[in-house]
Amino acid sequence: MISATPATPDQALPHNAASAASWVDDNWAGWLSAGLRIVLIIVIAVMLRAAVRRTITRLIDRMNRGAEVAAGTTLGGLLVNAERRKQRSQAIGSVLRSVASFVILGTAALTVLPVLQINLAPLLASAGVAGVAIGFGARNLVTDFLSGVFMILEDQYGVGDLIDAGVASGTVIEVGLRVTKLRGDSGEIWYVRNGEVKRIGNLSQGWATAVVDTQVGAGEDLVRARALIAATADEMAKDDPWDEKLWEPVQILGLESVGPESVIIQTQAKTMPGEAAAVARELRWRIKQAFDEAGILISGFPAATTQEPGAEPVEEEAASEDGGDSGSSAPATPSVPPPASSQR
C-alpha cells in the first residue's frame, strides 16, 4: 500500500492564492458597480440636500427683507414687527431644513442598503414595530413637538410677548419646539410644555384697555368732576411718552355705581399693548392731583375734625326765627365737686 503524503503549507499556498485570485476576477465587476452606485447615491443625496437647504434659506431671507421694508413705512411700523417675524422665520427655516435633511438622507440610506445585499423587509418590519412602540410611549413628546410647530407657524406668540398660557403666565423669553420658557412677575422662570397649552391669551398683540374708576363724594358736582377728568386726560395725552402709549382719546363712560356716600366715575383708554397698567396708574395719579387742587372730595366720607385734648366742646346757639335776640342757650351741665380725699 502506498500512503499519500500530506501537502506542505508551501505546496497548498499556490492553490489558495489561485482560488482567491479567481474569486476576485469573478466578482470585481460587481464590487465596482456596487461601489459606483453607492457613491452616486451619496453624491446625489448630498447635492440635493444642499440645494434644498439653500432654497429654504433664500426663502427665509426674502421673507425677512419683505418684513424690514414693510416695517420702514409709517403704517407698517405699527403692524409689522420685523424682529419678531425674523425670529419666527428663522425657527420655521430651522424646522424645514431639519425635516428636509432627515427625509433626503433617510431615503439615500434606504437606497444604499439593497446595493449592499441587505434585505429591507425585516428592517422595515422592525422599524414599524419600533415606531408604534415609540409612538405609544412618547406620545407626549410627539404632541409637544407638533404643538410647537403649529404655534410657530400660526405666530401665536413670540419672544417678548406677555401671555397667559393657562398653566402659567409671564413674558416669553424662549420659544422652542417642545418647551416654551416664561418669566413670571416675580422673576421666576416657567417651563411650559407646548402640548399642555390648551389656550393662549396674548396680551402684547393688538391693543390694550386701561380702566380707571374714580370715587367721588355723592355731594360733589359731577359735571365739574367730569370736566376735570376730561381736561386731565387731554393734558396727559399731549405729554411724552403718554402721547405714544395712548392710541385714542380717553373716554369717560359715566357712573359705574351710585352709593349713599359716593359715586364711581369710570374712565377708559385704548393703549399700546402691554402698557395698560402703566397708563392707568399715571391717569389715577393725575386725577388725584387735579381733584386735590380743585378741592373735590375723592372719597365719600367727610374728613373728621380733630379736637385738642382738654378743650371744651363748642355749643351752638339756636338762632331765633325772627332774627332778633338769640334764644336761651342749653343749660350747662352742673359741675360735680371732686370727692374729698379723706375725712377725719
Side-chain angles (χ1 to χ4, degrees):
M1 180 181 293
I2 300 174
S3 60
T5 304
T8 61
D10 294 337
Q11 295 175 349
L13 182 60
H15 177 72
N16 294 336
S19 299
S22 176
W23 182 72
V24 170
D25 291 338
D26 294 338
N27 294 280
W28 72 270
W31 293 348
L32 181 59
S33 176
L36 292 177
R37 290 175 61 186
I38 293 175
V39 172
L40 182 61
I41 292 172
I42 294 176
V43 170
I44 293 176
V46 172
M47 293 179 61
L48 182 60
R49 175 177 176 269
V52 172
R53 290 174 64 90
R54 188 179 298 110
T55 303
I56 294 174
T57 302
R58 290 179 179 177
L59 179 62
I60 297 302
D61 293 340
R62 185 176 301 175
M63 293 174 57
N64 292 334
R65 287 196 299 269
E68 292 176 358
V69 172
T73 61
T74 304
L75 182 60
L78 299 176
L79 301 179
V80 178
N81 190 335
E83 185 64 24
R84 177 194 182 95
R85 178 169 291 186
K86 182 179 180 180
Q87 295 174 354
R88 174 170 167 257
S89 60
Q90 287 178 352
I92 296 174
S94 177
V95 173
L96 293 179
R97 284 190 291 267
S98 300
V99 171
S101 299
F102 177 78
V103 172
I104 294 173
L105 296 180
T107 305
L110 294 178
T111 308
V112 168
L113 291 179
V115 179
L116 299 175
Q117 304 298 325
I118 298 176
N119 190 6
L120 292 180
L123 182 61
L124 293 178
S126 301
V129 174
V132 173
I134 293 174
F136 280 105
R139 58 184 181 274
N140 291 334
L141 181 62
V142 176
T143 302
D144 296 341
F145 179 81
L146 294 178
S147 299
V149 170
F150 282 106
M151 286 178 182
I152 294 175
L153 290 176
E154 296 172 0
D155 192 21
Q156 297 181 8
Y157 54 82
V159 176
D161 288 352
L162 180 62
I163 68 170
D164 181 3
V167 294
S169 60
T171 303
V172 179
I173 59 177
E174 183 178 344
V175 180
L177 294 178
R178 193 183 70 87
V179 174
T180 298
K181 293 182 182 180
L182 305 177
R183 184 175 296 278
D185 296 335
S186 301
E188 69 278 8
I189 296 180
W190 298 97
Y191 294 85
V192 181
R193 288 173 40 212
N194 295 330
E196 293 182 348
V197 179
K198 305 301 180 183
R199 62 171 180 83
I200 295 177
N202 196 324
L203 307 180
S204 299
Q205 290 183 354
W207 45 268
T209 302
V211 178
V212 176
D213 292 336
T214 305
Q215 185 175 353
V216 182
E220 299 292 339
D221 187 356
L222 297 183
V223 176
R224 181 187 175 202
R226 182 189 182 99
L228 189 59
I229 294 175
T232 303
D234 293 340
E235 182 180 357
M236 176 179 172
K238 298 177 182 178
D239 296 341
D240 183 72
W242 311 109
D243 53 348
E244 296 181 358
K245 296 182 179 182
L246 284 169
W247 283 9
E248 290 184 359
V250 178
Q251 299 179 359
I252 302 177
L253 303 181
L255 294 181
E256 175 66 16
S257 64
V258 178
E261 299 291 341
S262 64
V263 296
I264 295 179
I265 303 175
Q266 189 171 87
T267 307
Q268 178 178 300
K270 183 177 290 188
T271 69
M272 183 185 298
E275 299 293 339
V279 170
R281 287 192 291 266
E282 180 66 19
L283 186 57
R284 291 191 192 97
W285 181 279
R286 293 177 179 242
I287 290 176
K288 177 64 169 62
Q289 288 183 334
F291 276 21
D292 290 344
E293 293 177 358
I296 297 178
L297 188 63
I298 207 168
S299 64
F301 299 96
T305 57
T306 58
Q307 185 176 355
E308 296 180 0
E312 296 182 357
V314 179
E315 297 180 356
E316 297 182 353
E317 295 180 355
S320 60
E321 295 182 358
D322 54 358
D325 297 334
S326 60
S328 60
S329 60
T333 304
S335 59
V336 180
S341 59
S342 61
Q343 292 181 356
R344 292 184 181 179

